[in-house]
Amino acid sequence: MDVQRILVVGSGAMGRQIGMAAAVAGFTTAVRDVSADAAAAAEADMRRWLDGRVAKGRLAEADAADAWERLTFTTDLAAAAAEADLVIEAATERLDVKRSIFAELDALTPARAILATNSSTLASSTVADATGRPEKVCNMHFFNPALVMKAVEIVRNPHTSDETVETVAAVARAMGKSPVLLAKEIPGFVANRLMGAVRDEALALYAAGVASVEDIDTAAKDALGYPMGPFELMDLVGLDVTYLIRRAAYEQTGDEKDLPHPLITAKYEAGEFGRKTGKGWYTYE
Ligand code: 3HC
């Protein structure tokens, strides 16, 4: 299937960057938010990013102008959905919200459109039956920051067609991304499970008083070549997101080893979510 128009639902940290990456790659893209203020803030942030690329010599001025021309921020879901070939939903990680968005998208988009969710916690089978086209529903999971990280996990549900997976993978490649295909749904998918294993060991080492947060991060970076230590990464992703991912995994599996680590729960309850609140494992200006 030929994808030309993409709709991203949700203009938060992920949605805005997914939309920008799609526009830079040549897709006509709309980023939609329920809140006009949120959409305007996302638009201003992406304008700054684009200007920064030009100033740094990473993008030609004409290419930046073309990308900006292709990108719209809006609150009008019906208009943005009317001609979409692919929708990437990046809204709140709440099942009731996502199910009503998918039902609405099913009514508003052309029958050909693929409806993907960027969710890392909700497998697409939990929303597919809110639509009349479960074969065109899958997870298309980007990583933070989405303009930089190359992997995109494409997770099929039991109904997802091969054509859907191939189309989404082709879009990801066109965006300069590396698709990671999952043949079945599993909590955490692949990358977050790998990240979780490293994070849990880092938390266990810290809780046992073996080394400081800073020294564990240094080991990850300077012994293993990770771009960030596990504590820095929790602050980037958000300790709220980290907590909620583990709660969601526990609710799906009932396995106590999937519960958030007590140190994560403490940060969550203290409202210390990381960079976004100015304090997490580290303190930010
Ligand atoms: N948005 C857009 N671009 C950004 C950015 C951001 N937030 N942060 C950095 N960049 C860009 C910079 O502009 C720069 O681009 P350039 O080299 O073309 O000029 C490039 O990334 C490198 O940035 P810096 O030199 O400032 O900093 P670093 O080299 O330390 O890179 C990083 C920053 C890319 C964030 C790197 O530290 C990294 O890769 N960290 C690991 C991130 C990671 O693991 N993400 C996955 C999280 S898990 C997840 O998202 C799943 C979800 O379900 C929870």
Side-chain angles (χ1 to χ4, degrees):
M1 189 191 143
D2 184 27
V3 172
Q4 308 217 348
R5 289 176 178 270
I6 295 182
L7 162 62
V8 181
V9 178
S11 72
M14 295 301 287
R16 68 182 67 170
Q17 291 213 358
I18 295 168
M20 188 77 245
V24 170
F27 296 100
T28 302
T29 309
V31 176
R32 186 265 182 177
D33 205 289
V34 272
S35 148
D37 287 350
E43 182 169 6
D45 182 35
M46 287 301 95
R47 182 70 244 180
R48 273 193 301 276
W49 178 84
L50 205 53
D51 292 343
R53 301 315 282 164
V54 174
K56 254 188 176 179
R58 296 280 200 264
L59 201 59
E61 206 159 343
D63 293 340
D66 288 348
W68 197 245
E69 187 79 7
R70 287 189 287 268
L71 183 62
T72 339
F73 291 82
T74 180
T75 54
D76 188 342
L77 184 63
E83 289 183 67
D85 302 309
L86 167 66
V87 181
I88 305 168
E89 175 276 323
T92 311
E93 291 282 80
R94 275 183 41 200
L95 183 57
D96 54 341
V97 174
K98 289 199 195 286
R99 282 185 67 85
S100 73
I101 291 173
F102 271 74
E104 234 179 319
L105 289 170
D106 192 39
L108 295 173
T109 54
R112 64 172 188 278
I114 290 174
L115 308 180
T117 172
N118 175 55
S119 181
S120 58
T121 55
L122 295 164
S124 74
S125 56
T126 63
V127 291
D129 67 348
T131 76
R133 56 180 106 172
E135 74 289 354
K136 290 184 176 292
V137 177
C138 67
N139 287 76
M140 184 179 191
H141 178 221
F142 291 80
F143 293 84
N144 187 347
L147 280 160
V148 181
M149 304 312 287
K150 286 191 68 185
V152 174
E153 290 177 320
I154 301 169
V155 189
R156 58 194 309 161
N157 71 62
H159 303 285
T160 311
S161 69
D162 291 345
E163 193 197 352
T164 297
V165 172
E166 283 155 20
T167 304
V168 173
V171 170
R173 275 189 221 100
M175 288 168 76
K177 305 292 187 195
S178 326
V180 175
L181 304 185
L182 273 74
K184 55 181 166 186
E185 297 178 330
I186 178 170
F189 307 151
V190 169
N192 280 351
R193 289 178 82 92
L194 295 175
M195 180 174 73
V198 173
R199 183 186 56 223
D200 289 352
E201 190 56 36
L203 288 164
L205 288 166
Y206 173 66
V210 174
S212 68
V213 161
E214 291 80 0
D215 284 356
I216 295 168
D217 277 349
T218 299
K221 289 184 286 191
D222 294 351
L224 305 176
Y226 287 17
M228 274 184 169
F231 293 98
E232 290 172 319
L233 187 54
M234 280 184 261
D235 278 359
L236 173 75
V237 169
L239 283 138
D240 52 338
V241 174
T242 305
Y243 171 85
L244 292 169
I245 286 175
R246 288 306 279 261
R247 281 300 316 181
Y250 170 69
E251 274 148 32
Q252 285 170 55
T253 63
D255 186 340
E256 291 202 353
K257 79 172 174 27
D258 285 332
L259 276 169
H261 192 285
L263 288 170
I264 302 282
T265 305
K267 290 278 180 205
Y268 179 76
E269 287 172 352
E272 293 178 7
F273 297 165
R275 289 192 189 184
K276 66 177 85 166
T277 59
K279 189 166 169 33
W281 292 107
Y282 296 90
T283 303
Y284 303 86
E285 287 302 310

